[in-house]
mmCIF file of all heavy atoms in Angstrom:
data_model
loop_
_atom_site.group_PDB
_atom_site.id
_atom_site.type_symbol
_atom_site.label_atom_id
_atom_site.label_comp_id
_atom_site.label_asym_id
_atom_site.label_seq_id
_atom_site.Cartn_x
_atom_site.Cartn_y
_atom_site.Cartn_z
ATOM 1 N N GLY Q 12 16.333 -26.418 0.481
ATOM 2 C CA GLY Q 12 16.679 -27.510 -0.407
ATOM 3 C C GLY Q 12 17.686 -28.449 0.045
ATOM 4 O O GLY Q 12 18.600 -28.929 -0.570
ATOM 5 N N ALA Q 15 15.237 -32.594 3.226
ATOM 6 C CA ALA Q 15 13.844 -32.433 3.482
ATOM 7 C C ALA Q 15 13.228 -31.819 2.369
ATOM 8 O O ALA Q 15 12.095 -32.177 1.829
ATOM 9 C CB ALA Q 15 13.584 -31.703 4.817
ATOM 10 N N SER Q 38 19.131 -21.477 -0.732
ATOM 11 C CA SER Q 38 20.175 -20.498 -0.883
ATOM 12 C C SER Q 38 21.588 -21.153 -0.637
ATOM 13 O O SER Q 38 21.791 -21.710 0.315
ATOM 14 C CB SER Q 38 19.962 -19.442 0.211
ATOM 15 O OG SER Q 38 21.035 -18.720 0.372
ATOM 16 N N ILE Q 41 23.542 -20.152 2.503
ATOM 17 C CA ILE Q 41 23.268 -20.816 3.763
ATOM 18 C C ILE Q 41 23.729 -22.308 3.760
ATOM 19 O O ILE Q 41 24.367 -22.859 4.637
ATOM 20 C CB ILE Q 41 21.737 -20.745 4.158
ATOM 21 C CG1 ILE Q 41 21.466 -19.253 4.387
ATOM 22 C CG2 ILE Q 41 21.507 -21.575 5.403
ATOM 23 C CD1 ILE Q 41 20.048 -19.035 4.897
ATOM 24 N N VAL Q 44 22.552 -28.842 6.147
ATOM 25 C CA VAL Q 44 23.242 -29.377 7.385
ATOM 26 C C VAL Q 44 24.351 -30.307 6.920
ATOM 27 O O VAL Q 44 25.310 -30.422 7.682
ATOM 28 C CB VAL Q 44 22.229 -29.923 8.328
ATOM 29 C CG1 VAL Q 44 21.605 -31.187 7.736
ATOM 30 C CG2 VAL Q 44 22.763 -30.134 9.641
ATOM 31 N N VAL Q 46 24.794 -33.510 7.027
ATOM 32 C CA VAL Q 46 24.943 -34.831 7.645
ATOM 33 C C VAL Q 46 23.544 -35.517 7.469
ATOM 34 O O VAL Q 46 22.639 -34.934 6.864
ATOM 35 C CB VAL Q 46 25.294 -34.719 9.125
ATOM 36 C CG1 VAL Q 46 26.754 -34.369 9.296
ATOM 37 C CG2 VAL Q 46 24.449 -33.582 9.826
ATOM 38 N N GLY Q 47 23.411 -36.687 8.056
ATOM 39 C CA GLY Q 47 22.125 -37.380 7.869
ATOM 40 C C GLY Q 47 22.377 -38.477 6.908
ATOM 41 O O GLY Q 47 21.861 -38.510 5.782
ATOM 42 N N ALA Q 49 22.687 -42.087 7.640
ATOM 43 C CA ALA Q 49 22.228 -43.460 8.068
ATOM 44 C C ALA Q 49 20.684 -43.391 7.993
ATOM 45 O O ALA Q 49 20.070 -42.439 8.442
ATOM 46 C CB ALA Q 49 22.659 -43.878 9.357
ATOM 47 N N ILE Q 179 15.721 -16.085 1.214
ATOM 48 C CA ILE Q 179 14.414 -15.476 1.633
ATOM 49 C C ILE Q 179 14.662 -14.369 2.556
ATOM 50 O O ILE Q 179 15.262 -14.655 3.759
ATOM 51 C CB ILE Q 179 13.529 -16.573 2.172
ATOM 52 C CG1 ILE Q 179 13.229 -17.589 1.129
ATOM 53 C CG2 ILE Q 179 12.127 -15.936 2.612
ATOM 54 C CD1 ILE Q 179 12.548 -18.886 1.647
ATOM 55 N N LEU Q 326 14.270 -30.724 9.746
ATOM 56 C CA LEU Q 326 14.724 -30.228 11.021
ATOM 57 C C LEU Q 326 13.988 -28.963 11.574
ATOM 58 O O LEU Q 326 13.971 -28.762 12.807
ATOM 59 C CB LEU Q 326 16.280 -29.750 10.844
ATOM 60 C CG LEU Q 326 17.228 -30.996 10.423
ATOM 61 C CD1 LEU Q 326 18.560 -30.453 10.103
ATOM 62 C CD2 LEU Q 326 17.301 -31.960 11.721
ATOM 63 N N SER Q 338 15.657 -39.247 11.599
ATOM 64 C CA SER Q 338 15.176 -37.992 11.027
ATOM 65 C C SER Q 338 14.721 -38.033 9.600
ATOM 66 O O SER Q 338 13.646 -37.514 9.311
ATOM 67 C CB SER Q 338 16.324 -36.927 11.047
ATOM 68 O OG SER Q 338 16.623 -36.575 12.283
ATOM 69 N N ILE Q 339 15.451 -38.833 8.721
ATOM 70 C CA ILE Q 339 14.909 -38.843 7.299
ATOM 71 C C ILE Q 339 13.652 -39.646 7.423
ATOM 72 O O ILE Q 339 12.703 -39.286 6.607
ATOM 73 C CB ILE Q 339 16.121 -39.450 6.351
ATOM 74 C CG1 ILE Q 339 17.264 -38.566 6.417
ATOM 75 C CG2 ILE Q 339 15.487 -39.529 5.005
ATOM 76 C CD1 ILE Q 339 18.400 -39.023 5.592
HETATM 77 C C1 LIG H 1 24.791 -34.350 13.874
HETATM 78 C C2 LIG H 1 23.644 -34.854 13.053
HETATM 79 C C3 LIG H 1 23.648 -36.044 12.577
HETATM 80 C C4 LIG H 1 22.457 -36.549 11.745
HETATM 81 N N1 LIG H 1 22.444 -37.873 11.428
HETATM 82 C C5 LIG H 1 21.344 -38.343 10.824
HETATM 83 C C6 LIG H 1 21.224 -39.781 10.365
HETATM 84 O O1 LIG H 1 22.215 -40.470 10.521
HETATM 85 N N2 LIG H 1 20.154 -40.096 9.837
HETATM 86 C C7 LIG H 1 19.041 -39.323 9.651
HETATM 87 O O2 LIG H 1 18.044 -39.723 9.072
HETATM 88 N N3 LIG H 1 19.110 -37.946 9.910
HETATM 89 C C8 LIG H 1 20.275 -37.551 10.592
HETATM 90 N N4 LIG H 1 20.231 -36.220 10.889
HETATM 91 C C9 LIG H 1 19.272 -35.268 10.467
HETATM 92 C C10 LIG H 1 19.338 -34.950 8.963
HETATM 93 O O3 LIG H 1 20.557 -34.374 8.675
HETATM 94 C C11 LIG H 1 18.230 -34.063 8.558
HETATM 95 O O4 LIG H 1 16.944 -34.575 9.031
HETATM 96 C C12 LIG H 1 18.145 -33.902 7.057
HETATM 97 O O5 LIG H 1 19.311 -33.621 6.478
HETATM 98 C C13 LIG H 1 17.168 -32.923 6.694
HETATM 99 O O6 LIG H 1 17.641 -31.562 7.016
HETATM 100 P P1 LIG H 1 16.788 -30.327 6.388
HETATM 101 O O7 LIG H 1 16.615 -30.498 4.978
HETATM 102 O O8 LIG H 1 15.543 -30.144 7.275
HETATM 103 O O9 LIG H 1 17.678 -29.043 6.731
HETATM 104 P P2 LIG H 1 19.081 -28.495 6.040
HETATM 105 O O10 LIG H 1 19.958 -29.582 5.448
HETATM 106 O O11 LIG H 1 19.583 -27.666 7.093
HETATM 107 O O12 LIG H 1 18.436 -27.687 4.851
HETATM 108 C C14 LIG H 1 17.943 -26.342 5.034
HETATM 109 C C15 LIG H 1 17.746 -25.656 3.650
HETATM 110 O O13 LIG H 1 17.070 -24.464 3.857
HETATM 111 C C16 LIG H 1 17.641 -23.441 3.060
HETATM 112 N N5 LIG H 1 17.443 -22.146 3.778
HETATM 113 C C17 LIG H 1 17.623 -21.865 5.094
HETATM 114 N N6 LIG H 1 17.334 -20.492 5.223
HETATM 115 C C18 LIG H 1 16.973 -20.016 4.045
HETATM 116 C C19 LIG H 1 16.703 -18.719 3.614
HETATM 117 N N7 LIG H 1 16.580 -17.720 4.385
HETATM 118 N N8 LIG H 1 16.480 -18.651 2.240
HETATM 119 C C20 LIG H 1 16.589 -19.570 1.365
HETATM 120 N N9 LIG H 1 16.901 -20.829 1.819
HETATM 121 C C21 LIG H 1 17.127 -21.065 3.093
HETATM 122 C C22 LIG H 1 19.165 -23.864 3.040
HETATM 123 O O14 LIG H 1 19.739 -23.252 1.891
HETATM 124 C C23 LIG H 1 19.004 -25.417 2.937
HETATM 125 O O15 LIG H 1 18.838 -25.691 1.514
HETATM 126 C C24 LIG H 1 21.396 -35.787 11.565
HETATM 127 C C25 LIG H 1 21.443 -34.411 11.968
HETATM 128 C C26 LIG H 1 22.494 -33.939 12.740
HETATM 129 C C27 LIG H 1 22.536 -32.513 13.214
#
Side-chain angles (χ1 to χ4, degrees):
S38 166
I41 295 187
V44 69
V46 281
I179 298 171
L326 296 172
S338 287
I339 299 175

